[in-house]
Amino acid sequence: GGYFPRESRSPPSSLPPPPRNSRLNSMATEAQAQWVLTATGRSPTNIAVIKYWGKRDEALILPVNDSISVTLDPDHLSATTTVAASPAFPSDRMWLNGKEIALSGGRFQSCLREIRKRARDVEDEKRGIKIKKEDWEKLHVHIASYNNFPTAAGLASSAAGFACLVFTLGKLMNVNEDYGELSSIARQGSGSACRSIYGGFVKWCMGKVSYLLVKAEKLNWLKCMFFYSKTIEFDSILVE
């Protein structure tokens, strides 16, 4: 659990109660709508030592066999994601490495839906802001994610990306779930993303309900070297 040291939540600025004058009240309401709540997280990619070969459930991405991976150093191969929520946002939007991408895909929507279902109240009395858990269904989010390694280069960028997305959404919405539950949600975005929630060697067990076993979380003795091309990209992003 030591791979997410950079999480943060930035509370909105406080505003005085709106005046009774209707025009001024409208201006105050517009000003209140400008607050932005943010959270940032970082997640490493992982490389499969024993891959999983197919799914027995496409919707939940449940594997047909056990698999084992090693989580890599986030300083070298990781995704960093910032999620912002504001009543001023008219829709959910996402940018990957500075380029806007569609959030309409089922995998993104599954992750957003599952985190919103688990969202809890967020309150900052000092700043006069209170978000009830049911409000998260109406608040839209803007997501900015950046990989410090090439995307779609066979280095499991989707694993790091979906793990980071789920973890950071959970921090923003005050989700009180353990890594096991977050891992199950991330798995619905990309199968191997469930392994990037953890460090070290991770065994993804198929079972009736997919779960993970973690061993050797600190791997100071292991060194890997990867070679890749910055000019060659696969036709489509690899999603296990």
Side-chain angles (χ1 to χ4, degrees):
Y3 284 96
F4 305 100
R6 298 182 181 178
E7 67 226 30
S8 64
R9 184 184 290 123
S10 301
S13 301
S14 59
L15 290 169
R20 293 186 178 183
N21 179 284
S22 60
R23 183 178 179 185
L24 292 177
N25 184 67
S26 176
M27 292 172 62
T29 301
E30 290 178 7
Q32 280 185 315
Q34 300 309 306
W35 63 258
V36 177
L37 199 66
T38 68
T40 297
R42 185 177 66 164
S43 177
T45 188
N46 70 79
I47 297 297
V49 180
I50 300 176
K51 294 181 66 67
Y52 77 91
W53 299 97
K55 313 176 188 75
R56 68 180 192 276
D57 187 311
E58 285 287 343
L60 296 177
I61 311 186
L62 298 176
V64 297
N65 63 284
D66 295 354
S67 61
I68 297 176
S69 69
V70 58
T71 305
L72 304 182
D73 186 343
D75 288 336
H76 297 289
L77 294 167
S78 65
T80 300
T81 299
T82 296
V83 182
S86 173
F89 296 161
S91 62
D92 295 332
R93 300 174 68 185
M94 182 173 182
W95 291 261
L96 176 60
N97 297 329
K99 181 179 179 181
E100 185 165 9
I101 62 174
L103 271 176
S104 56
R107 296 175 185 241
F108 285 113
Q109 291 303 314
S110 291
C111 293
L112 284 167
R113 181 179 61 252
E114 292 302 318
I115 291 295
R116 279 175 167 141
K117 281 166 50 177
R118 293 163 173 79
R120 301 190 302 163
D121 294 355
V122 173
E123 183 174 5
D124 191 321
E125 294 182 359
K126 183 178 180 180
R127 301 177 189 277
I129 296 297
K130 184 174 183 179
I131 304 173
K132 294 181 178 293
K133 60 182 181 181
E134 57 268 23
D135 293 338
W136 289 110
E137 293 289 342
K138 298 173 286 186
L139 277 173
H140 292 291
V141 295
H142 284 184
I143 304 162
S145 188
Y146 171 78
N147 298 329
N148 66 358
F149 61 96
T151 303
L155 294 174
S157 59
S158 63
F162 275 103
C164 198
L165 173 65
V166 167
F167 179 86
T168 309
L169 282 169
K171 294 302 296 184
L172 179 74
M173 299 183 188
N174 198 25
V175 170
N176 187 30
E177 302 287 1
D178 60 23
Y179 279 10
E181 187 65 24
L182 293 177
S183 173
S184 295
I185 297 171
R187 189 193 68 232
Q188 297 179 46
S190 169
S192 53
C194 68
R195 300 184 304 226
S196 276
I197 292 288
Y198 297 91
F201 280 110
V202 182
K203 181 180 180 181
W204 180 14
C205 305
M206 56 165 293
K208 292 184 178 179
V209 177
S210 185
Y211 64 98
L212 294 115
L213 297 174
V214 184
K215 298 291 183 183
E217 189 157 344
K218 293 185 178 180
L219 299 174
N220 297 327
W221 50 268
L222 183 65
K223 292 185 180 295
C224 300
M225 185 174 293
F226 294 92
F227 298 91
Y228 56 82
S229 171
K230 292 185 177 181
T231 59
I232 298 175
E233 183 173 306
F234 291 111
D235 291 337
S236 60
I237 294 178
L238 297 177
V239 180
E240 292 184 354

